[in-house]
Amino acid sequence: MTTTPRRPANPLDAAEALFKPAKKVAVAPVVERRALPNVKEPVSLKLDSDVLAYFQADGPGWQERINDALRAAMQADR
């Protein structure tokens, strides 16, 4: 009884076996969660160094001061 080898004997067949199309995995749909009111969310924000230095000059709490300044700008825009 002849058995087939585990690895292809022909290098071309071995190379072709590596590039077989990948099976597509079904991805579950993304469930969008609504943000809770008055909950702070971590974000990445690029600020000019002088703006950052201004808010950090008074010590701890600089993130809250930036938040307050942005909130004031938001209120003024209405």
Side-chain angles (χ1 to χ4, degrees):
M1 176 174 206
T2 4
T3 60
T4 57
R6 288 181 58 176
R7 295 183 185 155
N10 182 351
L12 181 59
D13 291 340
E16 288 294 327
L18 292 174
F19 292 100
K20 285 185 180 176
K23 294 181 182 177
K24 292 186 179 182
V25 178
V27 178
V30 176
V31 177
E32 198 169 310
R33 295 182 293 174
R34 292 204 274 168
L36 298 173
N38 299 326
V39 174
K40 295 187 178 186
E41 297 183 35
V43 295
S44 176
L45 183 66
K46 291 185 178 184
L47 300 172
D48 292 335
S49 58
D50 58 334
V51 172
L52 186 59
Y54 173 81
F55 284 100
Q56 288 180 336
D58 291 335
W62 60 271
Q63 291 173 324
E64 287 81 12
R65 289 190 291 277
I66 291 176
N67 192 53
D68 293 341
L70 290 171
R71 186 173 304 284
M74 183 177 73
Q75 299 286 333
D77 193 39
R78 290 184 182 175

